Amino acid sequence: MLAPLSWLKEYVDLTLPVDALAERLTLAGLAVDAIHQVGDWWDPETITVGQVVAVLPHPDADRLVLVDVDFGGDAPQRVVTGAPNLYQYRGAESLPILKVAFARAGAVLVDAYSEQRPRPKKKLKPSKIRGVESSGMVCSERELGLSEEHEGIIILPEDAPVGMPLRDYLGDQIFEFDLTPDMARTLSMIGIAREVSALTGARLHLPVDVMSAEGDDRVADYVAVRIDEPELCNRYTGIVIRDVTIGPSPAWMQERLTKAGMRPINNVVDITNYVMLEYGQPLHAFDYDTLVRRAQQAGDATPTIIVRRAADGEKFTTLDDVERTLDNEMLMIADTLGSVAIAGVMGGQESEVSAATRNILLESATFEGINNRRTSQKLKLFSAASFRFARGVPATLNDIAARRAADLMRQYAGGRIVSGIADAYPVPQRAVTVYATASDMRRILGMPVSFDEMAGALRRLDFTVRLVAEPAADAPAAATFALHRQADEPLLECVVPWHRLDVSMPADLIEEVARIIGYEDAPITLMEDTLPTQHRNEVVETEEKIRDILIGCGLQDTINYALTSPENHARLRLEYALLGGADGAGFIELANPIAVERRAMRRTLLVSALENLQYNLRYTDRLAMFEIGRAYLPELGEGPLPYEDRRLSLVMVGPRQPQGFYSADATEMDFYDLKGVVETLLARLGFKAEDIEYRGAPNTGAFGPRCAEVLIEGEVAGLLGEIHPHVRAAFDLPTVRINAAELRIERLLRPHWRHEPMPPISAYPPVVEDMAFIVDESVTVRMVENAIKAAGGALLTEIELFDLYRGDPLPAGSKSLAFRLTYQSQEAVLRDADVAKVRERIVRRVERDVNGKLRG
């Protein structure tokens, strides 16, 4: 929401400096994101208000004119311009009052013809244009940086003082608000003015209702209104304005609309937008004559406006010239012939206001917010009107805003207002009464607040307030009793003003009092109660430790969407139960998703990781990342809620080393790079090597043959491997190795009391020797290591595989595994005989357990 202060001043006195006002509003919930300065860079000496006193033809160019401008100097100054909105005055003996933005030589202006964005500025220099000296310029909005409009020069209001610096006349400060949904009442200038008045105590002055009808005809003779869906449209009003003349809106209105971020179109459309920004009530103008022709085609003399649901599959062409397919959840504005607008979203092309329009039907209505928002989302059609309806528009406002717009059309479009308003009002806006107590106020705010302070703050916000002993008999039960009301404590009865749809319970009143008092003035208090005993959260501690370890390994922490689609799960070809591939497994799906590809909760973190890769591998060739998140498994949940399984996913893709000056290894990361990271993680979490096992798992669907289960203390903790090429192709990923893992956090937990004692450090030197064994291909390294460890006893302190060999002279179907063994005693220096005994035990154990033969 953009709010020019020059416009805001029309409704409330601004008594605070601009920065102080922005801070006060922000602290009260109206967050001022930015303050835009309009015209602060305009030089007051060279850019001023001027008046055109003559428009003459150029002697050597049909598309140029010579303009004499009075800028307050000793004599008018002549400039050359090609502004098309001055052609009509070429050679005229008498001119209307034409006030313009005039820049003399030396002024700095935006280069209107530059292709750069943002456009650069340049200094205006005297020049000859087709033989005529020109040392100034009459300016367009683009040259002043006001907008991209460059079709003609700015024509200022007739009362603009000649010679006044343009910065003083046209300059402005604009507040840019970032409003939360509960602040929808401030989506208008008057709504903001009410807040400024309440927060600063400044005087509020609102527009006076002066709509006047002419003639003896009445609106009932022109149009009828019928609401078929009162739960979706509480009120619909229509005013007929006859004999309008379509043309440009007044300059001051165009200026305000432009500063507020809207493009001027014509006087009728601009007035509907202007009143929407002024009051917050969206309006729509129909070409009344078009509605009459449609009614006559249907056999009626005058149109009947019908608010109804659309038919399933109904086609409708909106103002943006797009044919849209509707369903029966969407609310339409129709007549007896068919639809003419999508209620609260956008009008139809057939009944739009055009240059030929002479009679107007002005619509002002209140539509149900949730239905309106869903319609906008389904059609992907968002407008300023739907934005406001989705957040709530009070029905009481309908006729106020309509009368204001009709009066402006009378003044600035020459219209004649037909007497009366066509008003269907099946669901009147109810008066809301809310009760609060001083004890509630003190408990929630943590500060003493008297009834007088409470009442004073609420009255500044237009609440009607009085003290009562008991609530009204017909008061809604939800708003009747405060939770902490003390015996015989009086109640503060507050009648909510009609323009506040966000207040319905005591907590809302307390928030309003706090805003007026000022959150910044609430004192700092300490808790009086003793804090409860703090318990360790081992899951959170483990997750944070995992983050630290993996970031130390060079991986990047990511946060992916928990929402995805069943189609992407199908691409993953899950057959592995631990990853969410159980038979008949379902999904938790959203009833109202923000997008079709974000409608189901994920069953595995791998699908999110591959979606992330699909997006980011377009910009880089190397990614090493992890995510700690949750998978949602409805079949394991208790009751209606799914089981939320905490998991860790890892993905490593691309060159082993990032490209750099010293990079030498450009080979792709593979399964063993990922396995090394997992081994490092488990070791630093405190798991012993003998507690961890990697077991082949070829039938997982998502992974290819390079895949292994991770077992911790005999229980499966997860899976790691290389993504199958079919899955990679289904996600449209490049032809590279994608190494991924998914582990359950539950299996990685290490209770804080399970600290492993540090092994003693021997004072005696170790003995290191290498041993190689010839074994069958079916024998795993783990099997050989277990045999060596079992035979080595306490003297064997370290074992490391350093070589794997296949080929001559080894027999087919066998391989050689070479291990580096370290022996060390805590009691004495090892002798050759001691080492020989251990070596002999190892050889016998390997021969017995895995049928291995010592290779030397």
Side-chain angles (χ1 to χ4, degrees), residues 502-618:
D502 58 308
V503 178
S504 60
M505 59 184 64
D508 297 328
L509 293 179
I510 294 167
E511 181 183 3
E512 294 306 308
V513 172
R515 291 195 317 113
I516 298 302
I517 292 174
Y519 292 120
E520 68 277 15
D521 292 332
I524 298 174
T525 57
L526 299 177
M527 290 182 61
E528 295 180 358
D529 295 337
T530 303
L531 287 173
T533 303
Q534 300 297 300
H535 300 282
R536 299 185 68 156
N537 189 326
E538 293 178 351
V539 174
V540 173
E541 289 180 8
T542 301
E543 289 179 351
E544 289 305 310
K545 191 169 184 179
I546 289 171
R547 282 191 175 90
D548 293 341
I549 294 169
L550 293 179
I551 289 172
C553 290
L555 276 72
Q556 184 175 7
D557 191 2
T558 60
I559 301 174
N560 295 319
Y561 285 107
L563 287 168
T564 179
S565 66
E567 291 80 8
N568 274 359
H569 278 78
R571 293 188 185 100
L572 202 55
R573 306 194 321 164
L574 290 178
E575 300 173 9
Y576 188 74
L578 185 68
L579 297 186
D583 291 338
F587 293 89
I588 298 295
E589 296 200 41
L590 301 189
N592 184 27
I594 58 174
V596 67
E597 66 272 13
R598 303 287 176 209
R599 69 180 191 274
M601 307 297 289
R602 63 188 176 187
R603 296 183 56 86
T604 170
L605 271 61
L606 282 181
V607 69
S608 300
L610 294 182
E611 289 172 351
N612 191 329
L613 286 181
Q614 187 181 35
Y615 179 81
N616 285 294
L617 281 181
R618 295 179 296 172

Side-chain angles (χ1 to χ4, degrees), residues 265-590:
I265 298 173
N266 60 51
N267 49 2
V268 170
V269 176
D270 289 356
I271 287 170
T272 61
N273 288 332
Y274 180 84
V275 174
M276 179 185 68
L277 294 175
E278 183 179 47
Y279 275 98
Q281 170 69 60
L283 304 169
H284 184 70
F286 294 101
D287 186 315
Y288 177 76
D289 295 325
T290 299
L291 298 179
V292 170
R293 286 193 295 272
R294 289 171 57 88
Q296 290 171 351
Q297 291 178 42
D300 300 320
T302 58
T304 298
I305 298 298
I306 305 168
V307 185
R308 60 163 175 79
R309 292 178 186 266
D312 262 331
E314 179 180 346
K315 304 290 186 181
F316 182 74
T317 303
T318 46
L319 282 172
D320 55 0
D321 199 23
V322 176
E323 185 180 71
R324 303 179 186 276
T325 304
L326 313 175
D327 62 42
N328 63 2
E329 294 297 320
M330 300 176 182
L331 193 66
M332 302 298 293
I333 308 300
D335 58 14
T336 50
L337 190 64
S339 297
V340 293
I342 302 174
V345 178
M346 186 174 286
Q349 190 179 61
E350 183 181 357
S351 59
E352 70 174 320
V353 172
S354 67
T357 298
R358 290 297 172 263
N359 300 301
I360 295 290
L361 173 63
L362 180 64
E363 167 196 284
S364 181
T366 291
F367 303 112
E368 199 271 331
I370 294 176
N371 177 268
N372 189 272
R373 177 172 59 84
R374 287 175 176 169
T375 298
S376 294
Q377 289 179 335
K378 283 182 181 179
L379 297 176
K380 294 182 172 56
L381 186 60
F382 305 99
S383 62
S386 66
F387 186 82
R388 285 164 172 79
F389 281 125
R391 286 154 178 78
V393 174
T396 304
L397 181 58
N398 290 177
D399 63 321
I400 297 173
R403 293 166 66 89
R404 168 69 166 162
D407 188 65
L408 290 174
M409 290 183 189
R410 178 184 62 80
Q411 296 180 56
Y412 299 108
R416 178 174 66 83
I417 303 170
V418 173
S419 178
I421 299 178
D423 190 353
Y425 201 176
V427 185
Q429 183 179 345
R430 66 182 182 89
V432 178
T433 302
V434 184
Y435 297 88
T437 66
S439 57
D440 264 348
M441 195 76 66
R442 288 191 294 269
R443 178 179 61 85
I444 294 176
L445 294 185
M447 60 186 294
V449 181
S450 68
F451 271 116
D452 288 341
E453 289 176 305
M454 293 167 58
L458 292 170
R459 287 191 180 108
R460 288 164 64 176
L461 290 163
D462 292 341
F463 286 78
T464 302
V465 181
R466 68 186 182 111
L467 276 178
V468 297
E470 293 296 334
D474 59 347
T480 299
F481 299 105
L483 292 176
H484 295 75
R485 188 184 181 191
Q486 300 172 1
D488 300 325
E489 182 180 12
L491 288 168
L492 195 67
E493 181 184 75
C494 305
V495 180
V496 181
W498 64 264
H499 53 81
R500 293 295 301 271
L501 301 181
D502 58 308
V503 178
S504 60
M505 59 184 64
D508 297 328
L509 293 179
I510 294 167
E511 181 183 3
E512 294 306 308
V513 172
R515 291 195 317 113
I516 298 302
I517 292 174
Y519 292 120
E520 68 277 15
D521 292 332
I524 298 174
T525 57
L526 299 177
M527 290 182 61
E528 295 180 358
D529 295 337
T530 303
L531 287 173
T533 303
Q534 300 297 300
H535 300 282
R536 299 185 68 156
N537 189 326
E538 293 178 351
V539 174
V540 173
E541 289 180 8
T542 301
E543 289 179 351
E544 289 305 310
K545 191 169 184 179
I546 289 171
R547 282 191 175 90
D548 293 341
I549 294 169
L550 293 179
I551 289 172
C553 290
L555 276 72
Q556 184 175 7
D557 191 2
T558 60
I559 301 174
N560 295 319
Y561 285 107
L563 287 168
T564 179
S565 66
E567 291 80 8
N568 274 359
H569 278 78
R571 293 188 185 100
L572 202 55
R573 306 194 321 164
L574 290 178
E575 300 173 9
Y576 188 74
L578 185 68
L579 297 186
D583 291 338
F587 293 89
I588 298 295
E589 296 200 41
L590 301 189

Side-chain angles (χ1 to χ4, degrees), residues 700-753:
T700 60
F703 292 89
R706 297 187 185 92
C707 178
E709 286 181 319
V710 182
L711 287 80
I712 300 177
E713 297 175 346
E715 294 187 9
V716 178
L719 203 67
L720 73 155
E722 186 175 315
I723 295 296
H724 197 286
H726 292 314
V727 175
R728 185 182 62 205
F731 278 89
D732 196 23
L733 295 167
T735 309
V736 293
R737 286 179 174 172
I738 299 174
N739 311 289
E742 184 163 350
L743 305 173
R744 298 186 64 195
I745 299 292
E746 180 183 357
R747 296 284 184 258
L748 305 182
L749 297 181
R750 295 281 292 173
H752 64 276
W753 45 266

